Every structure is written in C-alpha cells, then in structure tokens.
Amino acid sequence: EAGVAQSPRYKIIEKRQSVAFWCNPISGHATLYWYQQILGQGPKLLIQFQNNGVVDDSQLPKDRFSAERLKGVDSTLKIQPAKLEDSAVYLCASSYGRTDTQYFGPGTRLTVL
Amino acid sequence: AQSVTQLDSQVPVFEEAPVELRCNYSSSVSVYLFWYVQYPNQGLQLLLKYLSGSTLVESINGFEAEFNKSQTSFHLRKPSVHISDTAEYFCAVASGAGSYQLTFGKGTKLSVIP
C-alpha cells in the first residue's frame, strides 16, 4: 500500500514570495490533515478535511495560508506572502476516518530567507 | 484545551540499557494517547496507542507505555534499547470528541550509544 506522498520535499524562498505544497493521501482515506512543525517543536495542526469539506481550520493563519481539497483526494496548502517565521516542515497526514490512525507523509521542509 | 509535556528534550542511553521517555498530558475530557516515532529523514510513524481497555500497551519492537489516569501520564519504556531505536519520539493526545485531532508534545530525541 502506497503511503502519503508530498512534494516538493524541500523549498527555499524569499520572504513575501508565494509557495504551494501538494499532498496525495493514502487511497480511500477520507480525512486529511496539514500540520506545521517548527524546529524543536511538535507538529501543530493547521487544518483538517473530511472528504472535500473543512472540519477544523481554527489554527490556520487565514490572512496568508489557504488550503483546498477540491475533489476529496489530493490537497494543496499555499502560503502567500511568506514570512520568516513560516520556516518549518509541513506535514500531511491522512486517515480512513476521523477516529482512525493517522499516517504521515515525509513532509516538505520550507526555508524562508 | 489539551496539552502534552515531554519533560526531556534529549535522552542519551547506552545500547542494551533500559530507557523511559516521559509524557504528561492535560485534558478536561477523556483522552486517547499516542506515541509516534520519527527516524532520521523519515516521516512520523505510529509506535503505539491507548484508546481504552488495558492500560498497558505494547509495540511490535519491544516498546511499551502505560496509561496512568491519576498521574495523567503515558510514559514510554523499553527494557533494552538497540542502536536502531535512535530517533525522535513524540507523545500526542486526542480528545474523545468524535475526532482524533492530535496535540503533540515537543518531542524527545533518543540517542543510543554503542
């Protein structure tokens, strides 16, 4: 069974630029999560989708971050414009349902200069 | 609101020695508890979880954790570590409110010394 795929694995941009990350969850998984992991900290949930609907985006900085899962499968997370403090690893996870084990992708390491 | 405290940011231990990684949580509702492991340059993997039933849960590679409600703890233990156990370990809590939204601790880096 293929795992959660993310791309790119690494991204370096300058502040005020835009960036987008892509996630392909495990086939059949209805629930998809995006986390932000700042160096030295544990992952922090940004947004949770159930199929193509948003369940919780209370910790998403909506003035600059956006995410979508239009067809209930792949998802993209965008930052526009990026700030220095956005430097982090962005993790995507998926689960079969909302109360099932989450499986994590390898993450995208973002560096904002 | 719920939170997780991992008291030790780094734990060095000699190979074949026992280890305990500490995790304390706070939550106002019933909880589910998890330990995830992150090997170098890899994604997070579920190590073990407590949902209900026996308070002692085990993983396939020899780790175990015990849910202690009175002490609000979920410490991770292994009686004899191996070099391959070198990784970062994250404790996480989810409330039992129909969703497993995870709140993670800051992680503990376990370094096994040969």
Side-chain angles (χ1 to χ4, degrees):
Chain A
E1 177 182 81
V4 177
Q6 290 187 248
S7 67
R9 291 294 310 276
Y10 305 92
K11 189 73 176 180
I12 301 174
I13 61 172
E14 294 187 351
K15 60 183 179 182
R16 292 188 290 274
Q17 286 188 323
S18 302
V19 65
F21 313 126
W22 173 82
C23 173
N24 181 236
I26 293 173
S27 178
H29 280 195
T31 311
L32 186 146
Y33 308 81
W34 282 102
Y35 290 86
Q36 179 192 57
Q37 186 177 13
I38 293 173
L39 186 65
Q41 299 183 20
K44 183 185 83 172
L45 179 68
L46 293 176
I47 189 168
Q48 177 186 353
F49 290 94
Q50 182 69 18
N51 295 308
N52 60 352
V54 175
V55 174
D56 185 351
D57 62 357
S58 58
Q59 298 194 82
L60 187 73
K62 299 182 187 63
D63 58 334
R64 298 183 300 107
F65 285 65
S66 64
E68 60 184 13
R69 193 184 184 201
L70 292 176
K71 297 183 179 179
V73 181
D74 293 5
S75 177
T76 56
L77 176 69
K78 298 179 181 178
I79 307 175
Q80 180 179 14
K83 292 184 176 182
L84 296 177
E85 58 261 36
D86 298 331
S87 293
V89 176
Y90 290 84
L91 298 166
C92 179
S94 71
S95 62
Y96 183 75
R98 293 170 63 174
T99 58
D100 295 302
T101 297
Q102 294 182 34
Y103 295 87
F104 284 79
T108 296
R109 182 177 297 277
L110 173 68
T111 302
V112 182
L113 302 176
Chain B
Q2 54 201 25
S3 65
V4 176
T5 302
Q6 292 184 245
L7 295 169
D8 306 301
S9 59
Q10 297 189 50
V11 173
V13 62
F14 286 103
E15 192 173 16
E16 297 184 3
V19 69
E20 178 180 81
L21 306 183
R22 296 178 291 171
C23 172
N24 288 89
Y25 69 91
S26 66
S27 175
S28 58
V29 297
S30 60
V31 296
Y32 304 131
L33 294 157
F34 306 79
W35 276 99
Y36 278 81
V37 58
Q38 189 170 32
Y39 298 104
N41 298 315
Q42 295 187 29
L44 286 162
Q45 302 173 30
L46 180 66
L47 187 62
L48 48 75
K49 61 185 177 184
Y50 169 78
L51 303 180
S52 64
S54 173
T55 57
L56 184 66
V57 291
E58 299 177 350
S59 71
I60 59 173
N61 58 352
F63 282 93
E64 65 178 29
E66 186 164 17
F67 170 55
N68 188 319
K69 188 175 181 178
S70 62
Q71 297 186 9
T72 60
S73 68
F74 191 56
H75 301 331
L76 182 69
R77 302 183 182 94
K78 188 170 186 180
S80 176
V81 295
H82 189 266
I83 293 289
S84 60
D85 294 324
T86 294
E88 190 158 20
Y89 293 79
F90 292 91
C91 182
V93 62
S95 67
S99 175
Y100 283 3
Q101 284 190 6
L102 298 174
T103 299
F104 284 88
K106 292 186 176 182
T108 298
K109 289 184 180 178
L110 173 64
S111 299
V112 180
I113 305 163

